[in-house]
């Protein structure tokens, strides 16, 4: 049973979702938050909760992660993901060829423990050696991803837009935190590009001394300001999760002019979410109940 602090918040990416489609994204986030919360409710660890929540979002073709991931310049899928617990154990993959659940491979990297981040074909080799099945781009490609790719190639849509990245952060009943983030990156990115979602302290961070955070938005500016580390530094300075989320996005805008979104849980079990884009779907389950929005 859930005790004490247990809480989870997930996001389905910062961007500009059409009003008519927003309820679908909110429902997807709520389903994923419930998957993660079931782990916490049973007394499970935050690390398993965020992995399961992100897997649910990767399996949902609405989101830019796993099935539904955006296409790179060559029309291929390359995936980024990172998972971390508050003891600073971490695993990540970058520019990973198509696999159904990159976050599960990142978890396997964490458990293996020898390295933190594998990229490209080396990441694929690590995954297949550990029993994960490599897929073809066509197995994960959706019509929506193809449409967006064509629109960016034809310069009818903003390039470098990263709507739909997914993430989850949680605190369990023992007070341990974890964060997980997964994405297809940005539409029409160059082959081999690795974004913030793979990078500790940029798109994903957990630290039992502060909390956990997951970011979404254009990865290059997020990496430049180490956005999630900035947010957790604000928590360490005494800011609550919501204030720290807002501080981080203000700093990103001040230093780079970029817009983004972020979710956060602090070690007191308070959750926060903020975006400077038009929309960011999110859902949270805390001892106070469920909340969701866009
Ligand atoms: N935040 C997702 C990306 O830029 O890759």
């Amino acid at each position: 049973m859930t005790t004490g602090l247990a809480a989870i918040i997930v996001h389905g990416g910062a961007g500009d979702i059409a009003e008519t489609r927003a309820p679908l994204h909110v429902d997807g986030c709520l389903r994923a938050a419930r998957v993660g919360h079931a782990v916490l409710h049973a007394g499970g660890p935050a690390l398993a909760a965020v992995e399961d929540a992100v897997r649910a979002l990767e399996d949902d073709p609405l989101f830019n992660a796993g099935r539904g991931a955006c296409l790179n310049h060559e029309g291929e899928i390359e995936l980024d993901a990172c998972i971390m617990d508050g003891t600073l154990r971490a695993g990540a993959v970058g520019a990973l060829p198509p696999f159904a659940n990159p976050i599960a491979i990142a978890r396997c990297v964490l458990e293996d423990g020898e390295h933190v981040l594998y990229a490209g074909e080396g990441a694929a080799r690590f995954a297949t050696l550990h029993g994960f099945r490599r897929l073809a781009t066509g197995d994960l490609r959706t019509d929506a991803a193809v449409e967006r790719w064509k629109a960016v190639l034809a310069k009818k849509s903003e390039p470098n837009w990263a709507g739909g990245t997914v993430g989850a952060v949680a605190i369990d009943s023992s007070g341990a935190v974890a964060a997980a983030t997964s994405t297809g990156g940005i539409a029409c990115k160059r082959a081999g590009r690795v974004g913030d979602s793979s990078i500790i302290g940029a798109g994903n961070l957990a630290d039992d001394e502060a909390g956990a955070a997951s970011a979404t938005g254009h990865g290059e500016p997020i990496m430049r300001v180490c956005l999630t580390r900035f947010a957790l530094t604000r928590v360490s300075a005494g800011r609550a999760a919501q204030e720290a989320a807002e501080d981080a996005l203000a700093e990103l805008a001040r230093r780079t002019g970029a817009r983004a979104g972020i979710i956060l849980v602090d070690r007191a079990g308070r959750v926060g979410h903020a975006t400077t884009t038009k929309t960011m779907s999110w859902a949270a389950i805390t001892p106070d109940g469920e909340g969701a929005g866009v």
Side-chain angles (χ1 to χ4, degrees):
M1 292 291 289
T2 309
T3 56
L5 308 171
I8 185 165
I9 180 166
V10 312
H11 71 76
D16 185 5
I17 304 167
E19 214 172 298
T20 50
R21 297 182 62 76
L24 297 174
H25 286 251
V26 174
D27 285 351
C29 286
L30 207 40
R31 276 194 299 276
R34 286 175 183 154
V35 166
H37 189 258
V39 175
L40 301 175
H41 187 69
L47 186 64
V50 296
E51 180 188 351
D52 287 3
V54 167
R55 281 177 77 122
L57 291 160
E58 289 176 338
D59 291 341
D60 188 332
L62 269 185
F63 299 105
N64 173 19
R67 199 154 70 91
C70 68
L71 308 179
N72 71 9
H73 196 260
E74 291 154 22
E76 301 295 334
I77 283 178
E78 291 185 320
L79 302 159
D80 295 344
C82 180
I83 189 165
M84 184 170 191
D85 75 16
T87 68
L88 309 185
R89 293 196 309 150
V93 288
L96 176 76
F99 284 82
N101 292 112
I103 203 66
I105 300 169
R107 173 74 188 270
C108 190
V109 173
L110 179 155
E111 297 298 344
D112 179 70
E114 185 169 357
H115 300 303
V116 167
L117 169 61
Y118 290 87
E121 283 302 323
R125 197 173 322 135
F126 175 92
T128 50
L129 278 173
H130 287 82
F132 294 92
R133 191 164 68 91
R134 185 168 178 161
L135 303 174
T137 289
D139 296 323
L140 298 179
R141 190 173 49 211
T142 59
D143 291 346
V146 173
E147 269 172 38
R148 186 158 67 164
W149 176 69
K150 284 184 180 163
V152 175
L153 277 183
K155 302 200 186 311
K156 287 185 184 150
S157 181
E158 193 184 338
N160 297 335
W161 185 243
T165 291
V166 303
V169 299
I171 184 165
D172 63 32
S173 53
S174 75
V177 299
T181 305
S182 181
T183 189
I186 54 179
C188 284
K189 64 187 180 181
R190 299 282 171 189
R193 180 262 191 186
V194 175
D196 61 300
S197 303
S198 299
I199 307 299
I200 292 170
N204 197 71
L205 183 64
D207 182 348
D208 281 340
E209 294 189 1
S214 169
T216 164
H218 186 189
E220 277 71 10
I222 291 172
M223 286 190 276
R224 289 190 177 104
V225 303
C226 303
L227 190 68
T228 54
R229 173 44 80 192
F230 182 90
L232 291 191
T233 300
R234 299 298 292 155
V235 170
S236 297
R239 302 282 276 170
Q242 183 60 35
E243 297 166 339
E246 291 165 10
D247 290 350
L249 297 188
E251 178 70 359
L252 180 73
R254 186 181 76 80
R255 296 300 306 271
T256 71
R259 292 173 291 146
I262 190 166
I263 56 172
L264 217 138
V265 64
D266 65 27
R267 62 184 176 160
R270 296 171 295 197
V271 298
H273 60 89
T275 188
T276 45
T277 57
K278 285 190 181 149
T279 63
M280 182 185 74
S281 53
W282 64 275
I285 306 178
T286 71
D288 295 333
E290 286 187 352
V294 66

